[in-house]
């Protein structure tokens, strides 16, 4: 799942460490989220959306139905 | 964060008890291992020393964190970071699977040389399966 964290973080001139501190995660988690190597949990997605003042749908881009195939 | 502070405080108390009563624990260990083989005593004393070293280290770490808000937050983040928890979960799942496979292979190989070792490994596999089932049932009821 893609997200706009890096784009929004840079636009607001927030460092990865500052964002990590605000979301109570490690900087490595922010790096992994930005690189798309790790998908945030619902709680973290909510926190991130709150931090950027937008909805989860606006921050995280759900592409296609890859996670729904099993259903 | 206050909940976590209480948790760290509890850890400090437990570690202090372990470190403070090291001599008593050592005497108890000597009493219970009296008559055991030198190798057995050596193993238990070695484990005890390792346990005490870990207790001293965690005591120092938790005590420092308890008196320094920045360190406490850092510790909280490191312990509760969801990616770290996900990595720990994946590591535990994969490593236990690899261990079971290697133990099974070792049991088969040992069967050609020594029945006792083979049976011990099979028993270890069975124990692992039983523990797995019990833990699975526990989490099925809990979640």
């Amino acid at each position: 799942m893609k997200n706009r964290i890096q784009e929004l973080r840079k636009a607001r001139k927030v460092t990865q460490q500052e964002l990590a501190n605000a979301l109570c995660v490690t900087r490595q988690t922010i790096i992994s989220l930005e690189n798309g190597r790790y998908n945030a949990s619902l709680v973290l997605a909510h926190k991130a959306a709150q931090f950027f003042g937008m909805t989860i749908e606006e921050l995280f881009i759900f592409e296609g139905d890859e996670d729904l195939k099993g259903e | 964060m206050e909940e976590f502070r209480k948790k760290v405080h509890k850890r400090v108390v437990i570690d202090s008890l372990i470190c403070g009563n090291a001599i008593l624990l050592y005497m108890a260990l000597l009493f219970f291992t009296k008559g055991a083989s030198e190798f057995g005593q050596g193993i238990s004393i070695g484990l005890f020393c390792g346990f005490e070293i870990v207790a001293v280290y965690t005591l120092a770490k938790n005590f420092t964190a308890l008196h320094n808000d920045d360190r406490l937050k850092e510790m909280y983040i490191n312990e509760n970071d969801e990616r770290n928890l996900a990595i720990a979960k994946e590591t535990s799942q994969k490593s236990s699977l690899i261990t079971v496979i290697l133990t099974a292979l070792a049991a088969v190989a040992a069967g050609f040389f020594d029945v006792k070792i083979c049976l011990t490994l099979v028993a270890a596999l069975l124990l692992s399966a039983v523990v797995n089932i019990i833990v699975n049932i526990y989490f099925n009821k809990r979640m």
Side-chain angles (χ1 to χ4, degrees):
Chain A
M1 191 183 291
K2 283 185 182 173
N3 63 67
R4 297 172 57 209
I5 291 177
Q6 191 172 34
E7 172 200 333
L8 293 163
R9 179 181 64 73
K10 283 184 177 171
R12 288 167 196 226
K13 291 187 170 52
V14 177
T15 65
Q16 288 178 331
Q17 190 60 61
E18 285 166 349
L19 180 60
N21 288 343
L23 302 182
C24 280
V25 293
T26 58
R27 186 171 155 262
Q28 192 55 50
T29 300
I30 300 297
I31 295 169
S32 295
L33 279 171
E34 288 185 353
N35 291 338
R37 283 201 306 262
Y38 176 71
N39 285 330
S41 70
L42 188 57
V43 175
L44 183 57
H46 206 279
K47 279 185 189 175
Q50 263 187 344
F51 180 85
F52 289 112
M54 48 180 56
T55 63
I56 292 177
E57 289 90 341
E58 285 169 327
L59 188 59
F60 293 90
I61 303 140
F62 183 64
E63 297 178 307
D65 58 352
E66 68 269 15
D67 291 329
L68 300 173
K69 277 177 184 167
E71 291 182 359
Chain B
M1 194 55 79
E2 278 312 303
E3 281 295 308
F4 185 66
R5 190 185 288 278
K6 280 180 194 166
K7 202 173 159 186
V8 174
H9 188 263
K10 257 186 206 168
R11 287 181 198 167
V12 168
V13 171
I14 292 168
D15 283 337
S16 307
L17 285 174
I18 293 170
C19 296
N21 295 308
I23 295 169
L24 279 178
L25 290 171
Y26 183 70
M27 298 295 270
L29 184 74
L30 284 183
F31 178 76
F32 286 113
T33 55
K34 206 175 176 181
S37 69
E38 202 174 305
F39 178 76
Q41 277 185 337
I43 289 281
S44 48
I45 289 169
L47 281 174
F48 172 78
C49 290
F51 187 66
E52 283 296 331
I53 289 168
V54 171
V56 170
Y57 170 73
T58 51
L59 175 65
K61 195 176 129 189
N62 289 325
F63 188 79
T64 323
L66 211 53
H67 293 88
N68 184 330
D69 285 348
D70 289 339
R71 266 211 190 154
L72 188 71
K73 192 177 180 189
E74 194 186 328
M75 197 184 201
Y76 173 81
I77 288 173
N78 279 327
E79 281 187 26
N80 293 285
D81 177 60
E82 63 171 55
R83 183 175 157 275
N84 281 350
L85 294 176
I87 290 171
K89 200 171 140 192
E90 275 294 304
T91 308
S92 154
Q93 280 175 349
K94 296 285 184 291
S95 57
S96 63
L97 179 69
I98 292 167
T99 308
V100 164
I101 291 169
L102 290 178
T103 311
L105 287 174
V108 171
F112 294 108
F113 307 104
D114 194 323
V115 180
K116 267 185 193 172
I117 296 173
C118 177
L119 288 176
T120 309
L121 290 170
V122 170
L125 274 176
L126 285 175
L127 180 70
S128 154
V130 169
V131 170
N132 194 296
I133 290 166
I134 292 168
V135 174
N136 194 296
I137 291 168
Y138 171 75
F139 281 112
N140 258 308
K141 285 193 175 168
R142 218 182 146 200
M143 286 185 188

